Amino acid sequence: MKPAPFRYHRAASLDEAIAALAAAGPDDEVRVIAGGQSLGPMLNLRLVRPTLLVDIHRIDGLRAIDVLPDGGVRIGACVTHAMLEDLPASDRLPPGVADVLRHVAGGIAYRAIRCRGTIGGSLAHADPAADWPSALAALGATIELAGPAGRRSVAASAFCLGLFETAIEPGEVVAAVVLPGSAICRWGHRKHCRKVGEFAHAMAICIDRGGEAVEAWLGATGGAPVAIALDRAALAGIAGGEAQRRAGLHERIAAALPDSIAPGDAYARHLHAQMAAEAVNDILANR
Ligand SMILES: Cc1cc2nc3c(=O)[nH]c(=O)nc-3n(C[C@H](O)[C@H](O)[C@H](O)COP(=O)(O)OP(=O)(O)OC[C@H]3O[C@@H](n4cnc5c(N)ncnc54)[C@H](O)[C@@H]3O)c2cc1C
């Protein structure tokens, strides 16, 4: 199928994009388009029929990765998954951060999709099976939104509200993702896909900055990412070798899995617990 007719505005700056969104008429249905990797198929299938598309993909300021004076990292909304996958090895970013970004980005879909799809588009789309929502929540990121009333920041952990639902207000655009400047000691990220390049059925990520609790963020839960906090000392006390530790982790995490995750689906719940156990094990095994 082909999309229903729409008007198209390519914005040269973020201010121009916000003005174009604000100037839309009362009968307009306006959409931002970034990489088009999710919106394109939805337009073609006529699942959405916007009357106006505001294209932000070529706004230079949205395609930059900057290190902030406090050591944090600001990633423009139109930075593609491929740009993050290809991050060069350098001492610009806090230790460990580039490794996590490269790993998560490189596991998204196929290279062709990663070359167009953007981090901001992925967040705004809020597909529960997408990789960035849980990864950025685990990384302690904040999402910078720009709109007619100015700029505001929302914690990534509070940004995705549910299935395709976010904290974005009408007229707002995701401008950037800001990561904290602290180093990452250890991390683990696991996802289960039936086929390489497919959306995951379960995923989990742990970012270890050395606190008393180990937090596993679960994605692909059917809604917003879910956090499970585990006591580090209790986990470290699981007796036995590698196999016993993994079985013990699985048992504890399965017991802590909220009822809201895949209720009544024992296999899906097993997968979620298993991905979380593997991600936590990566941290405990000091990988
Ligand atoms: C076959 C296939 C497999 C995929 N597999 C995965 C996967 O394994 N993991 C994964 O994470 N993703 C996957 N994706 C999705 C991919 O990562 C997309 O890049 C992403 O979901 C959307 O990014 P985009 O830049 O293309 O956004 P677009 O398609 O341009 O937009 C998506 C939505 O977000 C809105 N939007 C876009 N940018 C902004 C912004 N800056 N501010 C406000 N609203 C905005 C648009 O209005 C639209 O509603 C897959 C996609 C395909 C087609």
Side-chain angles (χ1 to χ4, degrees), residues 196-255:
V196 173
E198 233 190 22
F199 277 105
H201 298 279
M203 70 175 82
I205 177 164
C206 285
I207 302 293
D208 191 11
R209 289 193 163 101
E212 279 175 17
V214 173
E215 204 176 47
W217 277 89
L218 275 57
T221 62
V226 173
I228 298 181
L230 304 151
D231 182 66
R232 184 189 300 271
L235 295 180
I238 298 174
E242 171 91 8
Q244 284 90 344
R245 185 173 65 228
R246 290 169 74 175
L249 282 173
H250 181 98
E251 197 180 320
R252 278 163 203 243
I253 290 169

Side-chain angles (χ1 to χ4, degrees), residues 61-87:
L62 297 185
R63 294 175 67 86
I65 302 173
D66 297 308
V67 178
L68 302 172
D70 68 356
V73 183
R74 188 173 184 280
I75 304 170
C78 289
V79 166
T80 62
H81 312 315
M83 287 166 72
L84 294 167
E85 179 183 15
D86 295 344
L87 270 179

